Amino acid sequence: MKNISILGATGSVGTQALEVIGSNPDLYKVLALTAQSNTDLLIEQGLKFNPVLVVITDESKYAKVKAALSGTGIKVLAGEEALCEAAALDEVHLVLTALVGSVGLRPTIEAINAGKDIALANKETLVVAGDLITRLAKEKGVKIVPVDSEHSAIFQCLVGENNHTVEKIYLTASGGPFRGKDHSFLMGVTKAEALKHPNWVMGAKITIDSASLMNKGLEVIEAKWLFGLEADQIDVIVHPQSIVHSLVQFNDGSMKAQMGLPDMKLPIHYALAYPDRISSNFKRFNFIDYPELNFYQADSKTFRNLDLAYTALRKGGNMPCIINAANEVVVGAFLQDRIGFLQMSDVIEVCMDNIGFIESPSLNNYLETDQYTRILADQLVTK
C-alpha cells in the first residue's frame, strides 16, 4: 500500500490521479488533498477518500470546508504554509505535485527535505529552481518521476539505459489550436479560440501555454534538469496526432519512442506505480486507426515563446525563473482579456531584459526574482 499526498487535487491532473487511485484501492491510500479554491470538489473528494489532512489554500473558504468535513476525523487547514504540511506528512510515501505555477516550489522542497518521493506534474518547480531541486533530491536520495506525458515518455525510454549514451531527445508538441498559423492570424485570436486544444483536456493556464508553445519551452527547461542534458541535446518537433509522446536518440544512432493514446491517466498511472508497471483497463492504441503519423519542425519565429525559453535555458541562473513568472502574469492577463495573444511574448522579453540577472541564485534569490518579475510584468500589461 502506497500512501499518497496530492497537491492540487481538484485540477485536471489531480482529479485524474484520484480516478486512477480509486480504481486501485488495494494499491494506494490518499493521506492528504489540497486545493486552491474549489471547495465543493475538495469536500466531495475528502468525503470519498477520507484522507488524514485536507488543505484549502484560499483562507477565506476555510470555514466552509471545515464545517462540511466536521465529524469525519479529517484535519482541515488553510493557507500556503499548510501546503508544506501536506507535502511532508510522516506516513506519506509519494507526493504528487499537481499545483499550477511556481506556488509548487516550496511544498516540493519540503517534501524532498522530508524524504518523500515526488511524482512531478508541476513543471514550473524545475523551471524556476531546477539546479536547487535536483541537487537536493540527490542529497536526500529522493526519486523524481515526471508526470508530464512528454517527460514520462523520455523517462520510460531511459529505463535500463545509461544516461551518458543519450545523444538527443525530441519532445513532441501537438502544435495546439494554432498550428501552421502566421503572425497576422495570431494578432486577432481570442481567448476562446486559444482554449480549444485539439487533443488534450487540461486547465486553462496550461492550455494557453500550449497554444503559445510556452508549455513546450518550459518542458525543454524541465528536461534539462530531469535528464541532465544541455540545450543542444533537446529538440522540439510538432506531432499533431499526439501518439508519439517523445523520443530518445542514442549515441549509436538508434531511437526509442514511447507511444499511446493522448490520455493523461497513462503517465499518472505509471508515476504512481513506479518502479512497478501495473495493468490498467485504459483504451488501447490501434495502428489501423492512425494510418499516418506526421512530424514537422516547430515554428519558433512565429511562436516566439519557444525561442525565449531556449534563450533562458542557455543563459541559466535566474533567467528561467524570470520567464516563468512573467508568463504566469501574461497568461492570467490574456485570460482576463487585458492583453493580446502576441503581446504575451513582448512582455516576457522585456522582463528578461530588465530584471537583474543572477548567475548562481539561492532560494531567496529565486523568490525575489519571481516577485520582482511579477511586479514588472503587471506594470507592462497595465500600460
Side-chain angles (χ1 to χ4, degrees):
M1 180 69 71
K2 188 178 289 187
N3 294 334
I4 298 175
S5 177
I6 301 181
L7 310 183
T10 59
S12 176
V13 170
T15 54
Q16 291 179 85
L18 286 172
E19 288 182 44
V20 173
I21 291 169
S23 300
N24 297 276
D26 55 328
L27 298 177
Y28 308 116
K29 167 65 178 171
V30 177
L31 292 195
L33 295 170
T34 84
Q36 166 63 29
S37 58
N38 191 340
T39 54
D40 292 340
L41 183 52
L42 182 62
I43 290 165
E44 179 184 324
Q45 292 172 341
L47 292 172
K48 179 176 180 179
F49 289 94
N50 193 35
V52 172
L53 174 65
V54 161
V55 173
I56 182 74
T57 311
D58 184 342
E59 296 185 32
S60 69
K61 299 186 176 183
Y62 168 77
K64 178 179 178 179
V65 179
K66 178 69 173 176
L69 298 180
S70 64
T72 63
I74 299 172
K75 183 179 181 181
V76 179
L77 296 176
E80 291 192 7
E81 289 298 322
L83 288 174
C84 295
E85 183 167 337
L89 281 178
D90 286 343
E91 297 84 4
V92 164
H93 303 121
L94 179 71
V95 177
L96 171 61
T97 60
L99 299 163
V100 176
S102 59
V103 69
L105 177 59
R106 286 192 60 232
T108 304
I109 290 174
E110 291 298 323
I112 294 172
N113 276 325
K116 314 300 181 184
D117 288 334
I118 306 296
L120 187 68
N122 172 244
K123 65 175 64 66
E124 291 87 353
T125 291
L126 287 183
V127 171
V128 170
D131 181 52
L132 186 155
I133 293 294
T134 51
R135 279 191 288 108
L136 185 62
K138 185 175 181 180
E139 175 188 324
K140 298 293 183 179
V142 163
K143 294 191 291 290
I144 299 178
V145 182
V147 173
D148 275 350
S149 63
E150 296 84 357
H151 300 92
S152 175
I154 301 297
F155 188 90
Q156 292 182 57
C157 288
L158 291 177
V159 171
E161 301 284 354
N162 292 317
N163 278 30
H164 72 268
T165 65
V166 175
E167 190 170 272
K168 198 167 193 178
I169 69 170
Y170 294 87
L171 300 176
T172 55
S174 71
F178 305 136
R179 178 176 60 86
K181 302 301 183 183
D182 60 16
H183 185 275
S184 61
F185 177 89
L186 294 177
M187 287 182 67
V189 299
T190 66
K191 170 178 65 179
E193 290 170 328
L195 287 170
K196 292 180 181 178
H197 197 283
N199 297 337
W200 298 93
V201 178
M202 306 174 290
K205 194 266 183 183
I206 191 172
T207 303
I208 299 301
D209 282 347
S210 295
S212 72
L213 287 195
M214 179 56 88
N215 186 53
K216 208 52 51 178
L218 299 179
E219 287 177 1
V220 167
I221 299 171
E222 182 184 9
K224 182 259 189 302
W225 297 110
L226 280 171
F227 308 115
L229 303 172
E230 298 303 322
D232 61 1
Q233 291 179 284
I234 308 168
D235 205 349
V236 173
I237 52 174
V238 174
H239 169 49
Q241 294 86 5
S242 296
I243 296 300
V244 177
H245 297 304
S246 281
L247 309 94
V248 178
Q249 179 174 300
F250 295 95
N251 58 3
D252 61 357
S254 63
M255 300 184 78
K256 280 187 180 180
Q258 189 266 332
M259 303 171 65
L261 293 171
D263 183 349
M264 272 305 298
K265 287 194 290 293
L266 283 167
I268 292 169
H269 186 73
Y270 181 84
L272 295 184
Y274 183 83
D276 298 320
R277 190 185 287 274
I278 61 176
S279 62
S280 80
N281 60 357
F282 302 149
K283 185 178 178 181
R284 269 41 178 177
F285 170 74
N286 186 342
F287 277 97
I288 305 305
D289 295 333
Y290 292 84
E292 290 187 2
L293 297 177
N294 306 112
F295 302 90
Y296 307 95
Q297 184 174 1
D299 181 2
S300 58
K301 290 185 178 180
T302 302
F303 297 88
R304 294 178 53 233
N305 280 348
L306 181 58
D307 189 54
L308 293 175
Y310 270 104
T311 299
L313 174 58
R314 292 188 172 97
K315 181 85 172 179
N318 65 334
M319 192 60 71
C321 179
I322 293 169
I323 70 159
N324 180 75
N327 182 64
E328 289 187 22
V329 171
V330 297
V331 169
F334 177 70
L335 288 169
Q336 296 166 2
D337 298 314
R338 296 172 58 208
I339 191 173
F341 186 80
L342 290 176
Q343 290 176 305
M344 292 192 290
S345 300
D346 297 334
V347 171
I348 293 168
E349 186 171 30
V350 172
C351 289
M352 293 172 70
D353 290 339
N354 287 276
I355 297 294
F357 176 69
I358 303 172
E359 187 173 357
S360 300
S362 66
L363 176 58
N364 283 338
N365 292 146
Y366 285 126
L367 296 175
E368 289 175 356
T369 296
D370 182 87
Q371 180 184 8
Y372 296 152
T373 303
R374 290 173 190 275
I375 292 169
L376 176 58
D378 190 62
Q379 290 172 347
L380 293 168
V381 168
T382 300
K383 288 179 182 179

